[in-house]
Amino acid sequence: MTTTATRPGRARARAEISAKTLRTDRWWVQPLIIAAILGFFVVYSTIRIFMNKWYFVPEGGYLTPLYSPCLSDSCVEGSSHFGTPFGEFPRWLPLGLAAFPIVAGFRVTCYYYRKAYYRSFWMSPPACAVAEPHKKYTGETRFPLIFQNSHRYFFYLAAVVLAINLYDAVHAHIEDGQFQAGLGNVVIWINWLMLAGYTLSCHACRHVVGGRLKHFSKHPVRYRFWTFVSKLNARHGFYAMTSLVTVIATDAYIMATSAGWFDDPRFIN
């Protein structure tokens, strides 16, 4: 006799497996590595933004991206490229307050990072074919996860911050009207290129340049941009993690140079 579960045209009942997973590979390695990287960045950046020192190198004009733009009278001389409209800050208030919440919000709400920290910290799920500990899923429709829907707006603001970082990179080459270059400039440019790759490969950027179009043939310019962004979007995860590393490396280099731990090699003075 044919049962309901095996009758043609009917869906089979889902198999009940008591084991957490039947996988025999080391599936936990990747989420563990991602958790370590993200955790290190959170700790490092939190410490650095509250240090309020060693963020600018006058000799090379290097300004760390964690403090750009520096808009307070408390900023060291030469680091305020856009003036000081905020006046003087109390010592406990981060000098990079203008941009850091923007770039932090952009990364926290990013589609790639959602997958990364959902799996690594919340185990939702920790890996494919591995049971998660949560009994129910409500999606991103309630507080606090409904905040994730603001990603597109963070993209607009992050694009402005990226333009500011570009200005900082160019400005670091000019001193008294003369062109200069050092190892710090190379570090800054590598970081900016990774940040540009991450920002432009964003899913929100792809929608902005090519979304809501019914006929690409009628919008050739936007189609070209959409094609370019789509190619970058395929490597969005790479740019997301690489730019995280380059931001830390750039800040660490500028901090070490500003603190006088070593001298910045100069190529062109």
Side-chain angles (χ1 to χ4, degrees):
M1 181 175 66
T2 304
T3 63
T4 303
T6 60
R7 186 179 303 164
R10 295 287 186 89
R12 293 175 180 268
R14 185 173 182 178
E16 295 185 4
I17 302 174
S18 58
K20 182 178 181 179
T21 181
L22 298 179
R23 291 180 60 169
T24 58
D25 62 321
R26 294 186 294 179
W27 55 265
W28 47 268
V29 172
Q30 183 176 8
L32 181 62
I33 293 175
I34 296 298
I37 294 175
L38 296 180
F40 175 78
F41 177 78
V42 170
V43 173
Y44 176 90
S45 59
T46 301
I47 294 174
R48 278 293 291 143
I49 64 174
F50 282 99
M51 286 180 67
N52 284 343
K53 63 179 180 179
W54 300 337
Y55 54 88
F56 181 66
V57 182
E59 295 78 9
Y62 306 150
L63 177 62
T64 173
L66 294 183
Y67 283 74
S68 177
C70 204
L71 304 176
S72 168
D73 286 333
S74 302
C75 300
V76 298
E77 184 178 357
S79 63
S80 300
H81 299 161
F82 300 93
T84 56
F86 292 159
E88 189 171 348
F89 280 0
R91 296 184 61 181
W92 54 267
L93 192 63
L95 295 177
L97 186 62
F100 188 79
I102 295 174
V103 296
F106 181 53
R107 289 186 183 266
V108 168
T109 60
C110 168
Y111 296 114
Y112 173 81
Y113 281 114
R114 290 189 217 178
K115 181 191 74 172
Y117 65 77
Y118 281 6
R119 290 183 176 183
S120 300
F121 294 105
W122 295 348
M123 295 184 289
S124 181
C128 294
V130 179
E132 59 179 285
H134 310 286
K135 295 182 179 180
K136 63 179 182 178
Y137 174 71
T138 58
E140 298 173 339
T141 59
R142 300 179 182 178
F143 181 84
L145 294 186
I146 194 172
F147 178 71
Q148 307 287 30
N149 297 317
S150 62
H151 180 60
R152 71 182 69 180
Y153 305 108
F154 276 112
F155 164 73
Y156 300 138
L157 297 175
V160 175
V161 175
L162 181 66
I164 292 174
N165 294 151
L166 175 61
Y167 178 87
D168 293 337
V170 174
H171 186 273
H173 282 291
I174 309 300
E175 183 176 6
D176 297 328
Q178 301 295 322
F179 181 83
Q180 62 176 2
L183 181 57
N185 295 103
V186 177
V187 173
I188 290 173
W189 276 112
I190 291 176
N191 177 58
W192 187 86
L193 289 174
M194 293 301 102
L195 289 176
Y198 170 57
T199 305
L200 296 179
S201 66
C202 173
H203 298 76
C205 179
R206 187 169 181 263
H207 177 75
V208 168
V209 299
R212 298 181 180 275
L213 293 182
K214 295 182 178 179
H215 305 284
F216 276 128
S217 59
K218 295 182 179 181
H219 304 273
V221 176
R222 291 186 63 181
Y223 176 69
R224 287 182 179 274
F225 277 110
W226 179 84
T227 302
F228 172 72
V229 172
S230 296
K231 292 179 180 179
L232 289 178
N233 182 256
R235 298 179 61 82
H236 186 53
F238 167 80
Y239 287 117
M241 296 306 295
T242 304
S243 62
L244 200 65
V245 174
T246 58
V247 167
I248 294 176
T250 302
D251 178 78
Y253 184 90
I254 294 175
M255 175 177 63
T257 307
S258 177
W261 298 342
F262 63 83
D263 295 329
D264 176 57
R266 307 301 297 171
F267 308 142
I268 304 175
N269 291 320

